[in-house]
Amino acid sequence: MQLGNRSLLTTKQREREKEEFCVQRKKKTNNRFFTTEKMVGPSRPQFVFFGSSIVQLCFSHGGWGSILSDIYSRKADILLRGYYGWNSRRAIQVLDQVFPKEAPVQPSLVIVYFGGNDSMGPHSSGLGPHVPLDEYIENMRKIAIHLKSLSETTRIIFLSCPPVDETRVGSGLSGILSELIRTNELCQNYSNACIKLCQEMGVEVVDLFSAFQKRDDWTKACFTDGVHLSAEGSKIVVEEILKVLREAEWVPSLHWKSMPTEFSEDSPYYLVTADGKRTLNPSEWTFHREIQWD
């Protein structure tokens, strides 16, 4: 009986010690979910993509995230924070969790997209992703203010609401969802509001609503389902983002051609040239890319 009591006491003591360890660990990490400050090195600039499904899916179908990851390989680490179905109202609920101000490393660039779900027409039940335009503007303002507060060197690009293929959206209902009210009139209103807000706040913005419609076949070419982006649609997004990065007067520049390549020095271990006298440094090779991006 005494042995049993001693065993019970030991178990309870271990549980208390475990709880105390967790408390102290949490204090030391400043609520950063026990992540380490540096997982792998050397440290590269961090680019964070934050938004709804157009962000979450940006590595699918030859997406703009996968293209930018290739362009910025050995130059920046791209972190994906995309959430299918989210609107700006949901986004501001998690800003402090996704972008904690006390984090020891802050992103060099944040690309933000919300608006496609916000701009959907309201549902009669009061449920659904619709956010009134005035509230959408204030939510996006809150996101911009929070991101600006992270550090003096955190740069921001907002993506405005793109158009949709209304015909496919209207005919693509499966019976699982209620009627989806997505119109280009609504998309344009939210796009214009996002652009105007960015101009007022000095935030760089990509006008996706106009950029897509420069193609005559945009309804067929740019989407997989009338809303989400195809490979061709993603190429437009990449082109517009790179244009902003190239023209922005940011110091240091975040355009890929201006950023250093990690471990770019020559090495005797690279492939040897035909004359057998030297090696070829492949650090800056881009011939594998389908498009030679500027």
Side-chain angles (χ1 to χ4, degrees):
M1 188 69 179
Q2 289 179 347
L3 288 175
N5 288 339
R6 244 194 329 265
S7 176
L8 181 61
L9 179 63
T10 302
T11 301
K12 289 183 177 180
Q13 184 177 1
R14 286 176 179 172
E15 289 178 352
R16 286 197 297 270
E17 290 174 352
K18 184 178 179 180
E19 289 175 2
E20 179 62 21
F21 170 81
C22 290
V23 169
Q24 295 302 321
R25 180 64 172 165
K26 189 173 183 180
K27 288 180 180 178
K28 289 180 181 179
T29 55
N30 292 323
N31 296 320
R32 290 195 299 276
F33 303 99
F34 293 10
T35 58
T36 57
E37 295 183 8
K38 188 175 181 180
M39 291 186 292
V40 294
S43 296
R44 300 177 183 175
Q46 292 185 354
F47 292 2
V48 183
F49 302 164
F50 179 50
S52 55
S53 56
I54 283 180
V55 173
Q56 180 175 331
L57 301 179
C58 72
F59 280 82
S60 302
H61 306 291
W64 57 276
S66 59
I67 297 173
L68 287 171
S69 288
D70 176 41
I71 293 172
Y72 279 90
S73 61
R74 297 176 66 169
K75 294 177 181 289
D77 287 333
I78 290 180
L79 306 179
L80 190 61
R81 295 295 182 268
Y83 306 93
Y84 214 124
W86 279 30
N87 56 19
S88 64
R89 186 181 291 166
R90 189 79 198 277
I92 62 173
Q93 294 175 344
V94 301
L95 269 178
D96 290 320
Q97 294 171 262
V98 179
F99 300 100
K101 292 183 179 181
E102 71 276 9
V105 177
Q106 294 294 354
S108 296
L109 175 68
V110 183
I111 297 179
V112 180
Y113 169 73
F114 291 101
N117 295 318
D118 300 69
S119 66
M120 291 176 62
H123 193 271
S124 58
S125 67
L127 301 172
H130 169 73
V131 174
L133 185 59
D134 288 345
E135 182 187 344
Y136 167 73
I137 294 169
E138 291 310 306
N139 290 343
M140 298 300 281
R141 188 190 307 278
K142 290 175 183 176
I143 293 173
I145 290 172
H146 183 86
L147 295 177
K148 281 174 173 281
S149 73
L150 297 180
S151 78
E152 293 182 357
T153 56
T154 296
R155 312 303 182 187
I156 309 165
I157 299 175
F158 276 15
L159 307 179
S160 82
C161 186
V164 296
D165 179 357
E166 293 182 3
T167 301
R168 266 196 284 178
V169 171
S171 63
L173 301 179
S174 63
I176 298 175
L177 298 174
S178 297
E179 181 182 0
L180 302 180
I181 304 174
R182 288 186 184 267
T183 70
N184 282 317
E185 181 180 0
L186 288 170
C187 290
Q188 186 171 26
N189 289 342
Y190 282 69
S191 175
N192 289 342
C194 179
I195 293 168
K196 183 179 179 182
L197 174 67
C198 288
Q199 291 170 343
E200 292 174 357
M201 298 189 68
V203 172
E204 297 290 344
V205 62
V206 171
D207 180 359
L208 288 183
F209 190 85
S210 299
F212 277 41
Q213 294 181 79
K214 291 177 182 178
R215 284 189 62 144
D216 293 336
D217 63 344
W218 66 271
T219 55
K220 292 183 174 64
C222 293
F223 305 106
T224 60
D225 56 5
V227 175
H228 299 104
L229 305 185
S230 65
E232 291 302 308
S234 281
K235 289 173 185 175
I236 294 173
V237 177
V238 171
E239 183 178 359
E240 295 297 322
I241 289 174
L242 289 179
K243 182 180 178 182
V244 171
L245 293 171
R246 185 171 59 250
E247 295 178 356
E249 297 179 356
W250 292 336
V251 180
S253 171
L254 296 180
H255 186 259
W256 70 277
K257 287 186 176 180
S258 301
M259 296 178 67
T261 299
E262 189 174 274
F263 299 130
S264 60
E265 63 273 8
D266 291 335
S267 169
Y269 307 124
Y270 287 140
L271 296 175
V272 182
T273 59
D275 61 14
K277 295 181 179 180
R278 59 190 178 88
T279 57
L280 283 177
N281 187 332
S283 301
E284 306 293 343
W285 286 359
T286 62
F287 60 82
H288 66 281
R289 294 176 184 162
E290 177 187 0
I291 297 174
Q292 293 300 308
W293 300 97
D294 291 330

